[in-house]
Amino acid sequence: MLLSVNSMQKMLTIISNVLKGSASKNVARVVAARTYADFTAEATFDVKKCDTHRLDDAPPTKSVLTREDALKYYRTMQVIRRMELKADQLYKQKIIRGFCHLSDGQEACAVGIEAGIKPTDHLITAYRAHGYTYTRGVSVREILAELTGRRGGCAKGKGGSMHMYANNFYGGNGIVGAQVPLGAGVALACKYLDTDQVCATLYGDGAANQGQIFEAYNMASLWKLPCIFICENNKYAMGTSVERSSASTEYYKRGDFIPGLRVDGMDILCVKEATKYAADLCRAGKGPIVMELQTYRYHGHSMSDPGVSYRTREEIQEVRSKSDPISLLKDRMLANNMASVEELKEIDVQVRKEIEEAAQFATTDPEPPLEELCNHIFYNDAPLEVRGTLPWTKLKSIS
Amino acid sequence: MDEELERDERVFLLGEEVAQYDGAYKVSRGLWKKYGDKRIIDTPIAEMGFAGIAVGSAMAGLRPICEFMTFNFSMQAIDQIINSAAKTSYMSAGLQSVPIVFRGPNGHATGVAAQHSQCFAAWYGHCPGLKVLSPWSAEDAKGLLKAAIRDDNPVVFLENELLYGVAFEVSEEAQSKDFVVPIGKAKVERQGTLITLVSHSRYVGHCLDAAAVLAEEGIECEVINLRSIRPLDMETIESSVAKTNHLVTVEGGWPQFGVGAEICARIMEGPALNYLDAPVIRVTGVDIPMPYAKILEDNSVPQIKDIIISVKKSLNI
C-alpha cells in the first residue's frame, strides 16, 4: 500500500486540524485513533457501460481510483459547486450583472474530462464555462473577480462570465455552436504542429442542432482531426427540452460517420474513462469522436431563468437526491474507506473558506481603470488612437 | 503568399478550390504543388465551418489564410470573423490572439448579378478589432498581403476580381521578399493642386483615368489610394484637402453608411472642414442590388464620367 509523502502529510494535517477544531467532541478521539494506514489507497469501481456508435469496443467498465485522486476530484467538484452557488448569491445581490450561466449539477463533466485529458491538451466550451475555467487552471479569485467586473478578473473585467481564457483553454464563447468549428480548428493545429495533443470541444444539447457543428463534423472526419466533440446533454436548451428541439435525441450518433459514446455525465469515473478512451483514440490518429455526456443542471438556464416553468421541482429534486455527482463520489469513497466523513467535512470547510476569500476579493477589488478602456483591441500592435463618444475625444489603446 | 508560406511554417491557406484547382481565380496557382496537402487545404463548401476552423487554428498557434471564393460568401461566416476573431483580443484582455487573414475578391465583377456583387468594405470597416485592407495596384496587393499575414491580428483583405487581370509596373523594391506596405497608411498616387480624389481598390484606377482627362483641361487632381479601410488614414486626406480645398470620394459600394460617408463625417469633425471650399461629393454605386443586363450593370457603378462631372461640380466649372 504505497502512499506518496505528499498525501500522507496532507492527511496528517487534515487530522490535526480536525483535532484542533473539535477537541471537545467525541469524534476527535475517534479520528485520532485512525491513521493513514486505515484508509484504502486504491479501489476499483464499476462504471456504467457506455452506449457506442460505430465502435467495436468501448471504454472500460471498471475504473481504478486512488485515494489521492478521489480527494482531488471531490475537492475540485466542491469548489465548482460552491463557486457557482456563490456566483448565484452575488448575482442576486446585484454584484454580478449581465449573463451568468451556472453549472451546478454538471461538476462531474468538467472534472471528469480534465481527469481524462492532459494539461497540455486543449479545451473549448460555450458560455456555461466557470467550472471549465477552474479546471483549466484559473483561480476562483480570478473567476469571481471577472464575474464582478474587477481589474483582478482573469480578463481584467473586459470579458465577463462568457469570455474567460487560460492556457490551452479557449473560453468561454457566447455564440451558441460557434465554439465547435473553433475547437476543430484547435485540433487541426495540434495535428499540423505534430503534437499528440487533442482538443475537447464542448457544446450543449441545444447547440447540437447548429449547422456549423455538422460542417465541423465533416471536416474533422475528412481530415482526421484529433477532436473530441463533447455534447453536454443536460436535457434542456434554455426552456426547450430535447424532445421539443431535436428530431433525434441520440446526440452521440449525430456525427453519423463519426464514432460516438453515450456517457453517464453524473459519474465522474465514467466521464474520466470515456474521455481517456476518446483521447487515446484521437492520439492514435483515429479521431474525431463524439461523446454525449448525460448530465443535469440544477439552476435554470441562466440567472434570469428560475428553471421551473419547463420542468418540475420534483424532477430537479429527484436528480439531486439520486444522481448528484458529488454525493455519488462521496458515497463511493466512504463505502470503500477511502476517506473519513470528518476528512471530507474538513475539505468542505476549506473549500468554503477559499470561496469566501475569493468572493471577498471579488467584491472589494477595484473596477478596471477607465484609462484602460480601449486597450487590447489588437495584439502585439503599436499604440493607437480610438474615437470616444465625442468626435474630439481621442482615447488611447495599447496592446 | 508563396513568400510568406516559405518564410513561416505556421502559415497555411485554406478555402474552396485553393489547392488542386489552383484557386477559383488562379490566385493560388502552383502553391499546392509546391507545399502539398498539409499547407494548402481544399475545403468543402462550408464557410461558417471552415472559417471557424481557421480562427480556432489561429488561436492555437497557426497563421491561417482563409480564402472566401468571394466575400459574398463570407456572410455565411461573418459571425466567426466578427465574434470569434475580431473581438477576442479585447474580450480576453490580450490573453488570446487571432493572427488570421480572411481574403478573397470583393465588390462587383461583370454579369454576376446581385448575390455575387456586394462590396463589404463598409460592413467590415465598421468593426473594431479588425484591420481591413483594400489593395489597388500589384504593389498594394503584395505589400499589404504580406503585412496582413505578418500581423498578429485578424485582417480582412478585400481583393477585386476585375483587378486580377490588370498588369501593373512593379518597382525593384517591391520585388523583394520582405517588401511590406504599412497597414493604415494611404498612398498619394498622383500629386495634384486643385482637388483631391479619394478612392480604394478598382476605383483608384478610375480616378487616375479621370485625372488624366482633366489634366488636359488644366485641372490637376490629387489622387489618394486609401489602401486601408480600417484604420482609415484621415491624416493623408486632410493634408491633401488643406492643399486643394476640394474633395471627391469614389467607391463601388452602396452610399448609405459607406466608406465615403465615413470620410465625410470625419472631414466635418476635423481640421480639414475649414479648408473646404465646397461640400464633399461622394461618387458611389447605385443604391440597388446589382442587376444583370450589361447596360444596367454599367450604369449601376461609378463611371469615369461621373468622377469628371463631380470634379467640375465641386470646382464650379
Side-chain angles (χ1 to χ4, degrees), chain B residues 51 54-55 58 62-66 85 98-102 148 151-156:
Chain B
V55 173
L62 300 183
R63 303 187 74 89
I65 305 168
C66 175
V98 188
I100 187 168
V101 176
F102 298 101
D151 200 303
D152 288 338
N153 295 284
V155 182
V156 168

Short mmCIF file of all heavy atoms in Angstrom, two decimals, chain B residues 51 54-55 58 62-66 85 98-102 148 151-156:
data_model
loop_
_atom_site.label_atom_id
_atom_site.label_comp_id
_atom_site.label_asym_id
_atom_site.label_seq_id
_atom_site.Cartn_x
_atom_site.Cartn_y
_atom_site.Cartn_z
N ALA B 51 -14.31 28.73 -41.78
CA ALA B 51 -13.82 29.99 -41.21
C ALA B 51 -13.60 29.81 -39.71
O ALA B 51 -12.61 30.27 -39.15
CB ALA B 51 -14.81 31.13 -41.46
N ALA B 54 -10.53 27.84 -39.21
CA ALA B 54 -9.36 28.70 -39.42
C ALA B 54 -9.10 29.57 -38.19
O ALA B 54 -7.96 29.68 -37.72
CB ALA B 54 -9.57 29.58 -40.66
N VAL B 55 -10.14 30.16 -37.64
CA VAL B 55 -9.98 31.01 -36.45
C VAL B 55 -9.45 30.18 -35.28
O VAL B 55 -8.52 30.59 -34.57
CB VAL B 55 -11.31 31.70 -36.07
CG1 VAL B 55 -11.17 32.45 -34.74
CG2 VAL B 55 -11.75 32.66 -37.16
N ALA B 58 -5.86 29.52 -35.59
CA ALA B 58 -5.07 30.72 -35.29
C ALA B 58 -4.95 30.89 -33.78
O ALA B 58 -3.90 31.29 -33.27
CB ALA B 58 -5.71 31.95 -35.91
N LEU B 62 -1.36 28.65 -35.17
CA LEU B 62 -1.05 28.70 -36.59
C LEU B 62 -1.37 30.09 -37.15
O LEU B 62 -1.94 30.93 -36.46
CB LEU B 62 -1.85 27.62 -37.35
CG LEU B 62 -1.58 26.18 -36.92
CD1 LEU B 62 -2.37 25.21 -37.79
CD2 LEU B 62 -0.10 25.85 -36.96
N ARG B 63 -1.02 30.31 -38.40
CA ARG B 63 -1.27 31.60 -39.04
C ARG B 63 -2.02 31.37 -40.36
O ARG B 63 -1.42 31.41 -41.42
CB ARG B 63 0.05 32.33 -39.28
CG ARG B 63 0.85 32.53 -37.99
CD ARG B 63 2.05 33.39 -38.21
NE ARG B 63 1.70 34.78 -38.37
CZ ARG B 63 1.58 35.68 -37.38
NH1 ARG B 63 1.80 35.31 -36.14
NH2 ARG B 63 1.25 36.92 -37.64
N PRO B 64 -3.31 31.11 -40.24
CA PRO B 64 -4.07 30.75 -41.43
C PRO B 64 -4.38 31.92 -42.36
O PRO B 64 -4.56 33.05 -41.93
CB PRO B 64 -5.38 30.20 -40.85
CG PRO B 64 -5.49 30.83 -39.50
CD PRO B 64 -4.10 31.08 -39.01
N ILE B 65 -4.46 31.59 -43.65
CA ILE B 65 -5.04 32.50 -44.64
C ILE B 65 -6.33 31.81 -45.06
O ILE B 65 -6.31 30.72 -45.64
CB ILE B 65 -4.13 32.67 -45.87
CG1 ILE B 65 -2.72 33.12 -45.46
CG2 ILE B 65 -4.74 33.66 -46.85
CD1 ILE B 65 -1.69 33.04 -46.59
N CYS B 66 -7.45 32.43 -44.76
CA CYS B 66 -8.74 31.82 -45.05
C CYS B 66 -9.33 32.50 -46.28
O CYS B 66 -9.63 33.70 -46.23
CB CYS B 66 -9.67 31.99 -43.84
SG CYS B 66 -11.33 31.39 -44.12
N ALA B 85 -13.19 36.08 -34.11
CA ALA B 85 -11.86 36.61 -34.42
C ALA B 85 -11.68 38.04 -33.92
O ALA B 85 -10.87 38.31 -33.04
CB ALA B 85 -11.57 36.51 -35.92
N VAL B 98 -5.46 36.28 -32.36
CA VAL B 98 -6.00 35.56 -33.52
C VAL B 98 -5.31 36.07 -34.78
O VAL B 98 -5.83 36.95 -35.47
CB VAL B 98 -7.53 35.77 -33.63
CG1 VAL B 98 -8.12 34.87 -34.71
CG2 VAL B 98 -8.23 35.49 -32.30
N PRO B 99 -4.14 35.53 -35.09
CA PRO B 99 -3.41 36.01 -36.27
C PRO B 99 -3.93 35.36 -37.54
O PRO B 99 -3.42 34.35 -38.00
CB PRO B 99 -1.96 35.56 -35.98
CG PRO B 99 -2.10 34.36 -35.09
CD PRO B 99 -3.39 34.50 -34.34
N ILE B 100 -4.95 35.94 -38.12
CA ILE B 100 -5.60 35.32 -39.29
C ILE B 100 -5.83 36.34 -40.38
O ILE B 100 -6.01 37.53 -40.10
CB ILE B 100 -6.94 34.66 -38.87
CG1 ILE B 100 -7.56 33.86 -40.03
CG2 ILE B 100 -7.94 35.70 -38.37
CD1 ILE B 100 -8.71 32.97 -39.61
N VAL B 101 -5.79 35.90 -41.63
CA VAL B 101 -6.15 36.76 -42.75
C VAL B 101 -7.33 36.13 -43.46
O VAL B 101 -7.31 34.94 -43.79
CB VAL B 101 -4.98 36.89 -43.76
CG1 VAL B 101 -5.40 37.72 -44.98
CG2 VAL B 101 -3.77 37.53 -43.09
N PHE B 102 -8.37 36.91 -43.66
CA PHE B 102 -9.51 36.48 -44.48
C PHE B 102 -9.36 37.23 -45.80
O PHE B 102 -9.35 38.46 -45.81
CB PHE B 102 -10.83 36.89 -43.83
CG PHE B 102 -11.08 36.27 -42.49
CD1 PHE B 102 -10.86 37.00 -41.33
CD2 PHE B 102 -11.54 34.96 -42.37
CE1 PHE B 102 -11.09 36.45 -40.07
CE2 PHE B 102 -11.77 34.40 -41.12
CZ PHE B 102 -11.54 35.14 -39.97
N ALA B 148 -0.39 41.85 -43.87
CA ALA B 148 -1.54 41.22 -43.23
C ALA B 148 -1.18 39.87 -42.64
O ALA B 148 -1.55 39.55 -41.51
CB ALA B 148 -2.67 41.05 -44.25
N ASP B 151 0.86 40.23 -39.60
CA ASP B 151 0.18 40.90 -38.49
C ASP B 151 -0.42 39.86 -37.55
O ASP B 151 -0.96 38.85 -38.00
CB ASP B 151 -0.92 41.82 -39.03
CG ASP B 151 -1.33 42.89 -38.03
OD1 ASP B 151 -1.73 42.56 -36.90
OD2 ASP B 151 -1.25 44.08 -38.40
N ASP B 152 -0.34 40.11 -36.25
CA ASP B 152 -0.86 39.14 -35.28
C ASP B 152 -2.34 39.28 -35.03
O ASP B 152 -2.87 38.69 -34.07
CB ASP B 152 -0.12 39.30 -33.95
CG ASP B 152 1.31 38.79 -34.02
OD1 ASP B 152 1.61 37.97 -34.90
OD2 ASP B 152 2.13 39.22 -33.19
N ASN B 153 -3.02 40.06 -35.87
CA ASN B 153 -4.44 40.33 -35.65
C ASN B 153 -5.29 39.92 -36.85
O ASN B 153 -4.76 39.70 -37.93
CB ASN B 153 -4.59 41.83 -35.38
CG ASN B 153 -3.90 42.22 -34.09
OD1 ASN B 153 -4.39 41.96 -33.00
ND2 ASN B 153 -2.74 42.83 -34.22
N PRO B 154 -6.60 39.85 -36.66
CA PRO B 154 -7.45 39.46 -37.80
C PRO B 154 -7.48 40.57 -38.85
O PRO B 154 -7.76 41.72 -38.54
CB PRO B 154 -8.84 39.28 -37.18
CG PRO B 154 -8.69 39.37 -35.72
CD PRO B 154 -7.39 40.04 -35.42
N VAL B 155 -7.18 40.20 -40.08
CA VAL B 155 -7.19 41.16 -41.18
C VAL B 155 -8.14 40.68 -42.26
O VAL B 155 -8.09 39.52 -42.67
CB VAL B 155 -5.78 41.32 -41.79
CG1 VAL B 155 -5.80 42.37 -42.91
CG2 VAL B 155 -4.77 41.72 -40.72
N VAL B 156 -9.00 41.58 -42.71
CA VAL B 156 -9.89 41.29 -43.84
C VAL B 156 -9.25 41.92 -45.07
O VAL B 156 -8.98 43.12 -45.08
CB VAL B 156 -11.29 41.87 -43.59
CG1 VAL B 156 -12.13 41.83 -44.86
CG2 VAL B 156 -11.99 41.09 -42.48
#
